[in-house]
Amino acid sequence: GESVGLHLPTLSVQEGDNSIINCAYSNSASDYFIWYKQESGKGPQFIIDIRSNMDKRQGQRVTVLLNKTVKHLSLQIAATQPGDSAVYFCAEKKGSNYKLTFGKGTLLTVNP
Amino acid sequence: EADIYQTPRYLVIGTGKKITLECSQTMGHDKMYWYQQDPGMELHLIHYSYGVNSTEKGDLSSESTVSRIRTEHFPLTLESARPSHTSQYLCASSEFPQGDNYGYTFGSGTRLTVV
């Protein structure tokens, strides 16, 4: 079936390094993508989004890249900090459907 | 700060009990959702509502029920809790298609344990 999934379940980086978290999606009709961060004991928090008519969007220390040719989404975190340690989820929306489909999370651990 | 509130945060309850998980939002969002999430795992949609008196079942089959009598309130009820219902339940709301952001605002979740 169609789904959103992540390549790696865990990622460990050193403080100050850049992090890249990947996500593959299979539905070419998806027109909107979001990255969420979920810290332990909390609900997911919105990080950044991108529409399918874009291939890159930047926020504060974060960049999302969208490659529609290979149906791949990535989240880049610059100068990763201990506070970035969390589970990261990508999610997709298809057309006028108001529901988001979430992929499996990637646990990011930042080592001091 | 949270504009969507879930209570209780933690609940341990015996098998066969009826429980209601509360979710309220103060943002006036029409759309509300309930997701079930096992620790470290993906979120599965179990119920959603696009407005008052509108409720639908989600992608994951669930024995729970929901109601939407008021815009701000979207409670989830389990008539007879079982150990298989042990999980985290996340409530979310959204204003899309209004606004620039199609994302959800999530509550902090209710961690339910059925013994």
Side-chain angles (χ1 to χ4, degrees):
Chain A
E2 295 170 332
S3 64
V4 176
L6 292 169
H7 292 305
L8 297 173
T10 62
L11 178 65
S12 183
V13 301
Q14 291 297 122
E15 182 178 357
D17 288 351
N18 296 334
S19 303
I20 300 176
I21 300 171
N22 296 304
C23 179
Y25 66 95
S26 56
N27 191 334
S28 58
S30 294
D31 60 357
Y32 180 74
F33 304 88
I34 307 176
W35 281 101
Y36 283 91
K37 172 186 180 183
Q38 186 176 25
E39 297 175 275
S40 181
K42 297 183 179 179
Q45 290 179 289
F46 173 91
I47 301 173
I48 192 168
D49 60 353
I50 189 167
R51 298 176 190 273
S52 59
N53 61 356
M54 303 168 69
D55 52 21
K56 180 179 180 179
R57 192 168 189 212
Q58 289 184 289
Q60 187 178 12
R61 283 201 306 118
V62 295
T63 301
V64 55
L65 298 178
L66 176 62
N67 185 331
K68 294 181 286 294
T69 302
V70 295
K71 298 188 184 66
H72 184 266
L73 189 69
S74 68
L75 177 70
Q76 300 178 359
I77 304 174
T80 314
Q81 302 168 359
D84 295 327
S85 293
V87 177
Y88 290 80
F89 293 93
C90 63
E92 63 174 335
K93 184 184 82 68
K94 295 168 242 188
S96 60
N97 189 325
Y98 299 138
K99 296 184 287 181
L100 292 176
T101 300
F102 288 81
K104 293 180 173 62
T106 292
L107 173 62
L108 174 66
T109 302
V110 182
N111 302 308
Chain B
E1 70 235 40
D3 295 308
I4 181 164
Y5 306 94
Q6 290 187 244
T7 56
R9 284 296 311 276
Y10 303 93
L11 179 62
V12 181
I13 200 162
T15 298
K17 298 293 186 182
K18 177 180 179 179
I19 56 172
T20 296
L21 308 185
E22 300 289 347
C23 177
S24 294
Q25 50 98 4
T26 59
M27 298 170 284
H29 289 171
D30 285 337
K31 298 170 183 68
M32 297 188 74
Y33 308 83
W34 276 103
Y35 282 84
Q36 185 173 340
Q37 181 187 34
D38 291 324
M41 302 296 287
E42 61 202 287
L43 285 72
H44 295 285
L45 180 67
I46 52 174
H47 296 284
Y48 62 100
S49 168
Y50 289 165
V52 171
N53 295 326
S54 157
T55 62
E56 300 286 345
K57 289 189 178 295
D59 304 322
L60 181 68
S61 175
S62 173
E63 294 166 340
S64 57
T65 59
V66 292
S67 62
R68 190 86 183 278
I69 298 171
R70 304 196 312 269
T71 297
E72 62 271 22
H73 195 213
F74 191 40
L76 181 145
T77 299
L78 276 166
E79 291 293 332
S80 179
R82 293 209 294 267
S84 60
H85 296 140
T86 295
S87 189
Q88 171 155 265
Y89 293 84
L90 289 161
C91 181
S93 71
S94 172
E95 64 176 342
F96 56 76
Q98 281 73 40
D100 296 328
N101 181 341
Y102 283 67
Y104 298 168
T105 300
F106 279 91
S108 296
T110 294
R111 181 161 296 284
L112 173 66
T113 302
V114 183
V115 299

